Amino acid sequence: MPDLADGVARFQQDVFPAKADLFAHLAAHHTPHTLFIGCSDARVVPELITQGEPGELFVIRTAGNLVPAYSPGANGVTASIEYAVAVLGVSDIVVCGHSACGAMTALAESHDLSGAPVVADWLRHADAAMARTAGMAAGPRKTAALARQNVYAQLANLATHPSVARALAEDRVTLHGWVFDIATGRLERLDAAGTGPALAS
């Protein structure tokens, strides 16, 4: 905790003054251009990866970068998606998976999650990705393939949300799939149709 307090002090002393005009503007304006849906993993930091400024990304982070398919009723993920698309009017949505994902590793290697029943239930949102990699032997190759297939599956789930479906039909939003490699910093961009990598950078 002392490290966090020191970080806040450095932010207030060094970072904030250099961006005071930006924060003054942001105090009255909230117009992010991108909804970024990533994993809760502490090693994957959207603002660092994209080198974005405050106010540019509306971020949702969930275990395994999972997006439940739409169902009636309130939940935090659905409400955040709807707010970003219908209220803030983001023009792009990124679903970003990553290497060495604990959620994907647990699924690929059939870890015993009996001690974490809520996690086990949450990971069912990756069932479509699991089905697409069912023939592969457990190991790093399967985990990597599952991370990619999971991005495709979550993009499909995302499109079931009414706010997203409307925005897609009206050509107001574009979906993007990314996979970030922690060890190298490389970013693989997947084509939203699910047919394979579009490019790596």
Side-chain angles (χ1 to χ4, degrees):
M1 192 62 186
D3 287 346
L4 295 183
D6 290 345
V8 170
R10 286 195 303 275
F11 168 75
Q12 292 172 339
Q13 180 178 332
D14 302 325
V15 177
F16 185 86
K19 295 183 180 291
D21 289 345
L22 172 61
F23 282 102
H25 173 77
L26 292 176
H29 301 85
H30 187 205
T31 55
H33 53 70
T34 299
L35 167 58
F36 190 105
I37 302 174
C39 186
S40 301
D41 194 300
R43 301 166 295 177
V44 182
V45 183
E47 295 83 356
L48 184 63
I49 294 168
T50 64
Q51 288 295 285
E53 288 282 3
E56 293 184 350
L57 301 180
F58 190 85
V59 179
I60 300 171
R61 296 177 71 168
T62 70
N65 47 273
L66 298 177
V67 179
Y70 178 78
S71 62
N75 70 70
V77 175
T78 299
S80 296
I81 291 168
E82 183 177 79
Y83 187 73
V85 176
V87 179
L88 298 177
V90 297
S91 58
D92 293 275
I93 305 176
V94 173
V95 174
C96 184
H98 67 95
S99 63
C101 178
M104 297 302 104
T105 300
L107 290 172
E109 298 180 0
S110 301
H111 289 183
D112 178 9
L113 294 175
S114 57
V118 177
V119 173
D121 192 45
W122 174 253
L123 293 182
R124 293 198 177 106
H125 296 299
D127 283 352
M130 283 290 288
R132 294 175 190 168
T133 57
M136 298 183 70
R141 279 189 67 247
K142 180 170 184 174
T143 302
L146 184 57
R148 289 181 183 85
Q149 291 301 324
N150 185 53
V151 169
Y152 292 132
Q154 303 319 309
L155 287 169
N157 284 350
L158 185 60
T160 68
H161 289 249
S163 59
V164 177
R166 280 192 298 272
L168 286 169
E170 295 168 6
D171 202 26
R172 290 187 286 110
V173 74
T174 304
L175 305 186
H176 309 270
W178 293 1
V179 179
F180 175 68
D181 186 77
I182 294 171
T184 66
R186 285 175 61 84
L187 181 72
E188 182 181 4
R189 299 182 188 177
L190 308 178
D191 98 45
T195 56
L199 66 98
S201 56

